[in-house]
Amino acid sequence: MALGDGIRRNLATVSKEERDLFIDAIIQLNSTFYPGSRTDFPAGGVSYWFKQDEIHQSTHVHHCPQFLPWHREMCNRFEGLIRLIHPELSLHYWDWNLDPTKIDRKSVV
């Protein structure tokens, strides 16, 4: 599996290069701002990262039947944002069943 193949990987098993690119993408999303001001509609003057969080916080679908398709769309949009920064990245996932402290890093890279 090569970086840029479009596959979403477990964050605990990605290479240091890929983790660093992901962290850099988030930092850049927090430093890239939508045009306009907060009084505009839709509101501008906020970072791409802030807007993603704002959309997530302002919805009320967490306990509704619409949650799964809504959440998939949020993840897809977030992946699109990180690809604006680093097109070769895919969104990672976290496997709560896997203890990252017990991973043999030599076999991952």
Side-chain angles (χ1 to χ4, degrees):
M1 294 187 291
L3 188 58
D5 59 11
I7 295 174
R8 292 180 175 174
R9 293 177 181 77
N10 184 341
L11 184 60
T13 61
V14 299
S15 69
K16 180 177 180 342
E17 172 196 12
E18 192 168 350
R19 272 194 317 275
D20 290 347
L21 285 173
F22 185 74
I23 291 167
D24 181 65
I26 291 174
I27 290 169
Q28 287 193 50
L29 287 174
N30 200 34
S31 303
T32 306
F33 290 81
Y34 285 97
S37 70
R38 292 289 287 160
T39 58
D40 294 343
F41 184 81
V46 296
S47 73
Y48 281 40
W49 176 261
F50 180 89
K51 181 61 77 175
Q52 182 77 5
D53 183 56
E54 185 177 57
I55 292 167
H56 181 255
Q57 295 290 331
S58 66
T59 59
H60 305 285
V61 299
H62 283 96
H63 301 286
C64 298
Q66 297 85 359
F67 174 74
L68 290 178
W70 171 85
H71 194 266
R72 178 175 293 253
E73 179 63 19
M74 288 296 297
C75 287
N76 289 340
R77 286 178 184 224
F78 181 58
E79 185 173 59
L81 287 173
I82 65 172
R83 286 182 174 166
L84 289 175
I85 309 298
H86 294 298
E88 67 275 24
L89 280 179
S90 293
L91 190 59
H92 300 114
Y93 68 90
W94 183 266
D95 183 351
W96 293 99
N97 296 309
L98 184 63
D99 181 354
T101 62
K102 299 187 191 278
I103 295 173
D104 178 13
R105 294 277 177 207
K106 293 175 189 162
S107 66
V108 174
V109 180

